[in-house]
Amino acid sequence: MEPDIRVEDYLDDKLQSTTDFDHLDTLLNSVEHQRSQLQSQLDHATKELEEARRSSGERQAALAAQIDEFQKLQQSIDVRLKIVAASDAPDEAIRRLEQPMKQLHKVDLAHRYLLLLQHVQELRNAARAHLPQSPKAALEPYTELKQLSLRLRELQAAADGAAVHLVAHVESVTEALWDEMKTTMWAELEAVLKKRGWPNVDPESEVDDEWIQCFEKLVDLQVPEVLYSPTLVTLLPMDVMAQIFVKEFRFHFLSDKPTSNPQGINAHCFPWFLSLLDKWEVFFRENFAPVLAAKFSQTEVSNKMVYMDPGCAFIASMLPVMREKVSVTMAEAVKDPAFLSSLLGQLMTFDDNIRSGYSYDGGDSENGWEGLTGEVLNTHFRTWLEAEKKFALERFNGIMTSNDARKIDYDFAVAGKTKPTFAAVRVADLLRSVTTQYERLRRFSHKLRFLIDIQLAILDDYHDHLKGTLEAYQTMTSTVGRAFVGVTKEQLAALEGTGAFETLCKVYGSADHIINALHDWSNEEFFVTLWEQLQARAKANEDQSNLAGGMSYDHVKDRISSVVGTEDDSGVLFDETISAYTMRRKRAQEFLTQTLIQNQKKAFTAYLKRPQWSTISDEPTSGEAYYQLAPTAELDEPLAVLKRDLDFLSHALGTAVFRRIWREALEELNNMLWSDVLMANKFATSGAAQFRRDVDAISSVVERYIPDGSSALGSIKEALRLLNLPVEAPEEDSSGSSNTMTLKKAVDRVFTDNTEAKKVLEELDVESLSPPHARQILQRRVENAE
């Protein structure tokens, strides 16, 4: 039904009126045309479908044929593999050809060897042919031969050590050729020198052209060696000219002559060497510096003085024989520690003279020449360190056992400075001398070893001595210590009088001297640089078990400073040591203060028990006339003890610490007088005046040694100002209105309220007392007993 509906719709659309029937033929023709087009398209699509089906069938047939062919080929291969596997013909053929192939390989290898040897000989002959006329031309075949030798050595390593004889032969030919080239050129310069009568020439003269040309040829011969050698190369022309001096050196210092005695190396050998350099330095520089500048100024070695300065080149040629002499001397020195110690110092001085006097860098422009000392210490450092440590400890023990070691050196510093013991001064001097022994060393690990193994070891021993002294003092002065340890009468007698102060001042002064010395050293360039090197190495070193010289990071940190290896830049090399000595100094100061207080309590015992403060005198003493009184008899001993202690400590201690410990002691005395005298007694007018006179006597003694030191007694002095208020106003003021503060006025106003009490205290210029204190003090007067 659906197609009919569409036809009906089509007709309704095309035939909507009668007029449309006039065009019916046209409409039919159009429909026919469309039908024929659609039929043509259908026929074409049917044809293409048939062709696609046919093509697909052909491809499937071809693919099936290929599969069959592949399967047949696989079966054929399998069959042939079975036949081959069952047959032994290939193995037999291989076995028969194996031996001839080996022979052929050997023949081929031998042929190549012969060609290589022939080439080596050709290079050798080519180099010889250019000498002595043109060393530069000779270098070309030699360089090729040298490169060949190095390449063969590399290939041999990769081939598990093959061709041993060939490689050895090429290397020996190369070395022999080089020696031959040097010998040829050496002989030419040697002949020139012989004609000129070297070294009997004027050191201020100029050399001729032939001499310079021979010098230049030898340098030309060495240029590649100099440029590519990782180590120092002595210049051949300098070796030639130096050989006569080397022979002379051997005659004097490496023979059976008296000057060869190892003990005389500093007296004869070193001066001879330096005088030789002084004599010829200018000669070499004036004549041969332009040649070296022309050869090396534009090369990588232009910054190395040993190649640019003929004087330094001459030193390099002379040093091997000096090195031999030092080695012979060291063999004897290691048997004698005292000689070893002096020899190393002399050798460092010699090295410094070479470096500073001639700018010799040893071919290392960055780090400089390590010196003969550095070479010696590579082998003998541990031996030298132990010898120096032994000497230092012996000197330390000698210092500690000397008769005056534990005496205070009062002449060491001016008044107002803390005085150390003779031992402390000498220990500091000993440590300074140890520094001079190693401060010129160039290797960081060596310097750190000296610091830790010798200097810090001595400082530790001396610290233990001071600590032991304080512990012994504490034992002798404590009840528990005397009971358990036992103390002799002689020991107790030594602490009587100023004996205890002397013992403590020795510890305090010694610790203070060492601390000040360490602080000063920490700011010196040598120790600052050493600290910076230690910090840099600690931060960069990944191997914490070996920070330097076999010492671990933890070991160095414990001995030096807790901030080693951290970002804290406030540390110094002696942090831990300064901290330990500071603890001893602080403890000694605490003991000094305690001893002062104990002495005062003991000395003031009788004075504190004086009962006459409330006795009314037959002749009343006015408050203003108290100073006319004599101090109380019971105060004589305390004043004597006070003066004795002040006098001793003023000479032994520095002003700052002297004032500090006395301030604590006087504050304690102030509290004692307040509680045990002022607050424990009633005072008549005469008693109050006498107490005030006594306190002024104490202040007078203190002020004699400590200006303004009696301010520590300020509260008791102000209290006595209140306590000494007159009962009545002076007679000249009794008839009129007087402003004089009397005892009655003060009592009336102070007990009124706090505001009024404060006004009274202000009028009396009393600053340290409060209203409650004022009331307590006024109640101490017998007149106010009720």
Side-chain angles (χ1 to χ4, degrees):
M1 291 299 291
E2 193 171 327
D4 294 340
I5 293 174
R6 291 178 179 175
V7 171
E8 182 180 351
D9 293 337
Y10 178 79
L11 293 174
D12 289 340
D13 180 59
K14 296 297 181 178
L15 300 175
Q16 295 181 358
S17 65
T18 56
T19 56
D20 290 332
F21 284 100
D22 295 337
H23 304 288
L24 184 59
D25 293 336
T26 303
L27 178 62
L28 291 175
N29 291 334
S30 175
V31 170
E32 180 62 25
H33 179 68
Q34 291 178 358
R35 186 196 66 77
S36 44
Q37 284 182 340
L38 290 174
Q39 184 63 45
S40 176
Q41 291 175 357
L42 178 61
D43 293 341
H44 181 69
T46 302
K47 184 180 179 181
E48 287 183 348
L49 176 61
E50 290 297 330
E51 290 179 356
R53 287 175 178 174
R54 185 172 61 256
S55 176
S56 175
E58 291 175 355
R59 283 198 299 271
Q60 289 179 354
L63 181 60
Q66 289 177 353
I67 293 173
D68 291 340
E69 185 179 354
F70 175 77
Q71 289 177 346
K72 291 177 181 180
L73 180 60
Q74 182 64 45
Q75 291 174 357
S76 174
I77 291 173
D78 292 341
V79 171
R80 279 181 284 178
L81 284 176
K82 291 179 181 179
I83 295 173
V84 171
S87 173
D88 57 355
D91 293 339
E92 183 64 24
I94 292 173
R95 282 195 296 270
R96 290 179 180 179
L97 291 174
E98 191 174 56
Q99 191 62 29
M101 290 299 294
K102 286 183 179 179
Q103 293 293 334
L104 182 61
H105 176 69
K106 289 180 180 179
V107 171
D108 180 63
L109 187 60
H111 180 255
R112 293 184 181 183
Y113 275 18
L114 289 174
L115 291 177
L116 180 61
L117 293 175
Q118 182 181 5
H119 184 55
V120 168
Q121 188 61 34
E122 290 173 352
L123 293 174
R124 182 179 186 181
N125 293 337
R128 285 173 169 176
H130 292 293
L131 294 176
Q133 294 80 12
S134 179
K136 280 188 177 180
L139 281 174
E140 294 181 7
Y142 169 76
T143 302
E144 185 178 349
L145 182 59
K146 182 67 175 178
Q147 292 174 346
L148 176 61
S149 174
L150 296 174
R151 179 58 178 164
L152 287 175
R153 177 61 68 182
E154 293 176 1
L155 293 174
Q156 183 191 37
D160 299 328
V164 176
H165 298 293
L166 175 65
V167 175
H169 173 74
V170 175
E171 287 181 345
S172 66
V173 170
T174 305
E175 293 173 3
L177 176 61
W178 179 242
D179 292 338
E180 184 179 349
M181 293 168 66
K182 290 193 294 185
T183 301
T184 301
M185 300 306 300
W186 181 297
E188 184 183 23
L189 179 58
E190 199 172 42
V192 171
L193 294 176
K194 188 175 181 181
K195 290 179 182 180
R196 275 72 178 171
W198 175 259
N200 298 318
V201 299
D202 184 359
E204 298 181 0
S205 64
E206 294 184 6
V207 301
D208 56 74
D209 292 340
E210 185 180 4
W211 191 340
I212 292 179
Q213 288 173 2
C214 286
F215 185 94
E216 186 174 4
K217 287 180 181 180
L218 275 170
V219 174
D220 285 338
L221 187 66
Q222 273 195 294
V223 167
E225 183 182 16
V226 168
L227 296 181
Y228 299 108
S229 175
T231 58
L232 171 65
V233 176
T234 59
L235 298 182
L236 282 174
M238 284 300 173
D239 290 343
V240 177
M241 290 186 282
Q243 64 176 331
I244 184 66
F245 303 118
V246 171
K247 292 177 181 178
E248 184 179 353
F249 184 97
R250 291 186 179 278
F251 175 80
H252 289 300
F253 309 115
L254 287 171
S255 64
D256 55 357
K257 299 291 181 181
T259 50
S260 295
N261 188 337
Q263 298 282 351
I265 188 172
N266 191 56
H268 304 293
C269 184
F270 292 158
W272 181 93
F273 192 95
L274 295 174
S275 64
L276 179 70
L277 299 182
D278 290 338
K279 179 179 179 180
W280 294 105
E281 177 188 13
V282 176
F283 173 81
F284 287 126
R285 284 178 177 161
E286 292 292 335
N287 289 289
F288 303 112
V291 176
L292 296 185
K295 302 300 179 184
F296 299 118
S297 61
Q298 302 299 321
T299 68
E300 295 179 355
V301 299
S302 60
N303 59 343
K304 298 181 179 180
M305 296 302 295
V306 75
Y307 300 126
M308 295 298 295
D309 181 0
C312 292
F314 179 60
I315 294 173
S317 295
M318 289 298 300
L319 278 178
V321 70
M322 176 59 79
R323 187 176 291 110
E324 183 180 347
K325 172 62 179 178
V326 170
S327 179
V328 171
T329 306
M330 281 299 300
E332 296 297 323
V334 293
K335 304 174 186 177
D336 183 351
F339 178 39
L340 177 63
S341 179
S342 63
L343 175 61
L344 265 296
Q346 295 162 3
L347 194 56
M348 281 187 274
T349 301
F350 174 78
D351 289 344
D352 289 341
N353 288 333
I354 296 294
R355 290 192 197 95
S356 60
Y358 309 97
S359 302
Y360 184 73
D361 61 6
D364 188 345
S365 58
E366 182 177 351
N367 301 313
W369 182 47
E370 70 170 347
L372 296 177
T373 306
E375 298 174 14
V376 166
L377 293 182
N378 288 337
T379 304
H380 300 289
F381 174 73
R382 178 58 65 177
T383 303
W384 179 47
L385 177 66
E386 293 301 325
E388 292 295 341
K389 183 176 182 179
K390 180 180 178 182
F391 289 142
L393 291 177
E394 286 176 353
R395 287 181 59 190
F396 173 74
N397 292 329
I399 289 171
M400 299 307 296
T401 56
S402 61
N403 294 330
D404 59 352
R406 290 170 173 78
K407 294 181 180 179
I408 297 176
D409 184 2
Y410 289 102
D411 297 328
F412 178 79
V414 298
K417 299 292 184 180
T418 299
K419 310 302 188 298
T421 59
F422 285 96
V425 175
R426 291 166 186 167
V427 167
D429 292 341
L430 170 60
L431 295 172
R432 169 58 73 186
S433 69
V434 173
T435 301
T436 61
Q437 286 291 93
Y438 76 91
E439 64 182 349
R440 292 183 292 172
L441 296 178
R442 299 178 69 82
R443 186 170 298 180
F444 169 77
S445 60
H446 290 170
K447 290 184 282 190
L448 191 63
R449 270 292 182 188
F450 258 85
L451 173 68
I452 292 179
D453 289 4
I454 300 181
Q455 289 181 303
L456 294 188
I458 292 174
L459 285 168
D460 288 348
D461 288 347
Y462 192 56
H463 168 266
D464 292 342
H465 162 72
L466 298 180
K467 182 179 180 182
T469 301
L470 290 177
E471 290 174 346
Y473 174 83
Q474 187 176 19
T475 298
M476 289 187 291
T477 55
S478 67
T479 304
V480 175
R482 289 195 297 269
F484 283 93
V485 178
V487 181
T488 65
K489 293 182 179 179
E490 291 77 9
Q491 290 175 321
L492 291 176
L495 299 180
E496 294 296 328
T498 58
F501 290 137
E502 184 174 7
T503 299
L504 296 173
C505 284
K506 290 175 184 178
V507 175
Y508 183 91
S510 298
D512 184 73
H513 181 69
I514 297 298
I515 290 170
N516 292 334
L518 295 180
H519 277 302
D520 291 341
W521 296 346
S522 297
N523 293 321
E524 292 181 2
E525 181 181 1
F526 171 72
F527 288 108
V528 170
T529 302
L530 192 60
W531 168 256
E532 292 173 349
Q533 292 174 341
L534 175 61
Q535 280 289 71
R537 180 169 294 210
K539 292 176 182 178
N541 191 25
E542 296 181 357
D543 184 8
Q544 299 296 312
S545 64
N546 184 17
L547 181 60
M551 295 179 288
S552 68
Y553 169 78
D554 291 335
H555 175 70
V556 173
K557 182 178 179 181
D558 291 342
R559 300 303 307 277
I560 298 292
S561 172
S562 60
V563 301
V564 170
T566 68
E567 297 301 325
D568 188 348
D569 295 329
S570 63
V572 296
L573 281 174
F574 302 102
D575 271 351
E576 294 300 319
T577 305
I578 290 174
S579 176
Y581 275 87
T582 301
M583 291 175 63
R584 303 288 79 77
R585 183 176 65 177
K586 180 181 178 182
R587 189 61 175 147
Q589 180 179 328
E590 292 172 350
F591 279 147
L592 280 170
T593 304
Q594 293 172 9
T595 304
L596 271 178
I597 294 172
Q598 291 171 1
N599 282 0
Q600 290 173 358
K601 288 182 178 179
K602 183 177 179 181
F604 277 86
T605 300
Y607 182 79
L608 298 179
K609 295 178 180 179
R610 182 180 183 276
Q612 294 90 357
W613 302 113
S614 60
T615 302
I616 300 176
S617 174
D618 294 336
E619 297 181 2
T621 302
S622 66
E624 290 74 7
Y626 75 93
Y627 56 85
Q628 299 177 357
L629 298 173
T632 304
E634 289 83 356
L635 192 63
D636 291 344
E637 181 182 354
L639 290 177
V641 171
L642 193 64
K643 181 180 179 182
R644 178 200 69 193
D645 293 349
L646 280 164
D647 185 70
F648 178 84
L649 294 176
S650 67
H651 287 88
L653 297 177
T655 301
V657 65
F658 176 68
R659 295 180 67 92
R660 192 157 51 245
I661 64 173
W662 271 105
R663 181 168 188 81
E664 293 184 38
L666 291 174
E667 287 176 350
E668 186 63 28
L669 176 60
N670 180 85
N671 296 336
M672 184 170 62
L673 293 175
W674 181 287
S675 61
D676 295 348
V677 178
L678 180 60
M679 291 294 122
N681 295 281
K682 293 290 185 176
F683 292 86
T685 301
S686 59
Q690 186 64 57
F691 189 23
R692 188 176 186 183
R693 177 66 183 89
D694 292 347
V695 172
D696 274 8
I698 296 172
S699 298
S700 178
V701 173
V702 172
E703 289 290 335
R704 195 179 309 166
Y705 292 92
I706 310 174
D708 198 35
S710 62
S711 60
L713 301 172
S715 60
I716 191 68
K717 292 170 75 174
E718 290 186 344
L720 289 173
R721 198 177 302 161
L722 270 178
L723 188 67
N724 277 272
L725 288 175
V727 177
E728 299 176 352
E731 292 181 1
E732 58 270 20
D733 295 335
S734 59
S735 59
S737 60
S738 173
N739 293 325
T740 301
M741 182 68 69
T742 63
L743 182 63
K744 184 176 185 309
K745 287 181 180 180
V747 170
D748 291 343
R749 294 175 61 184
V750 167
F751 281 90
T752 300
D753 55 35
N754 284 344
T755 301
E756 194 64 26
K758 289 179 180 179
K759 291 181 180 180
V760 172
L761 295 177
E762 183 177 352
E763 292 175 14
L764 294 174
D765 198 22
V766 174
E767 299 177 353
S768 63
L769 302 181
S770 63
H773 287 147
R775 296 184 186 107
Q776 291 177 351
I777 294 167
L778 292 173
Q779 287 177 335
R780 295 294 93 200
R781 288 289 293 267
V782 294
E783 291 83 354
N784 297 325
E786 298 180 358

